């Protein structure tokens, strides 16, 4: 059975004077969160056969921090389609994944990642999906069992959300800033 893990890039620096959104780097809080999430998935024994990621600077830096905590190099496949993609485009990316891989990490941006998850996971009375509906924060990881044997069989409403972990769940100082 295919498993898809989504990782939203970590918190980026809006006050960094870059000319393009694509070039925005992480801020210090984002770097800490990325490393923490990698360390957490390593502690759970989560493994990936394949990684697909947006080539945006904040995603590259998220993966650098994630790898540091995870303890191994992930060698992502950089896919420009993932940059600020809609859920429909991300589903196309999923459908195009190599048939031989079972566990994929997809690293990108919102609202596309959140919308993809909400498309794939059916509504439920309670549970993790409700947390996603509230907000899919930066550096958050969501893991879904897709209930299929081939990536091109993935359809709306057929996934099971197994894990939804926000940085603040592991370290309260990585939660929302006080206003």
């Amino acid at each position: 059975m295919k498993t898809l893990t989504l990782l939203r890039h970590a918190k980026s620096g809006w006050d960094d004077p870059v000319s393009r959104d694509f070039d925005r780097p992480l801020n210090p809080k984002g770097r800490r969160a990325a490393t923490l999430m990698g360390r957490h998935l390593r502690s759970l024994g989560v493994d990936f056969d394949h990684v697909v990621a947006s080539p945006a600077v904040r995603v590259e830096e998220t993966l650098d921090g994630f790898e540091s905590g995870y303890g191994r190099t992930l060698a992502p496949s950089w896919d420009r389609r993932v940059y600020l993609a809609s859920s429909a485009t991300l589903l196309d990316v999923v459908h195009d994944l190599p048939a031989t891989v079972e566990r994929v990490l997809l690293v990108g941006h919102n609202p596309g990642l959140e919308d993809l998850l909400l498309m794939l996971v059916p509504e439920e009375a309670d549970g993790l999906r409700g947390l996603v509906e509230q907000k899919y924060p930066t550096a958050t990881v969501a893991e879904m069992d897709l209930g299929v044997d081939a990536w091109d069989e993935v359809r709306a409403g057929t996934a099971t959300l197994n894990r939804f972990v926000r940085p603040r769940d592991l370290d309260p100082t990585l939660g929302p800033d006080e206003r």
Side-chain angles (χ1 to χ4, degrees), residues 1 23 36 63 119-120 133 137 145 150 154 156 179:
M1 183 180 332
D23 298 323
L36 177 66
L63 276 169
M119 173 199 310
L120 296 178
E133 290 171 346
D145 283 333
V154 174
R179 300 256 179 220

Side-chain angles (χ1 to χ4, degrees), residues 63-98:
L63 276 169
D64 287 344
F66 185 90
E67 287 175 338
S68 174
Y70 192 62
R72 72 172 201 152
T73 302
L74 296 173
S77 171
W78 303 105
D79 190 330
R80 186 107 177 142
R81 295 179 297 170
V82 178
Y83 175 65
L84 302 181
S86 68
S87 58
T89 299
L90 292 173
L91 186 57
D92 288 342
V93 170
V94 169
H95 286 160
D96 292 343
L97 289 168

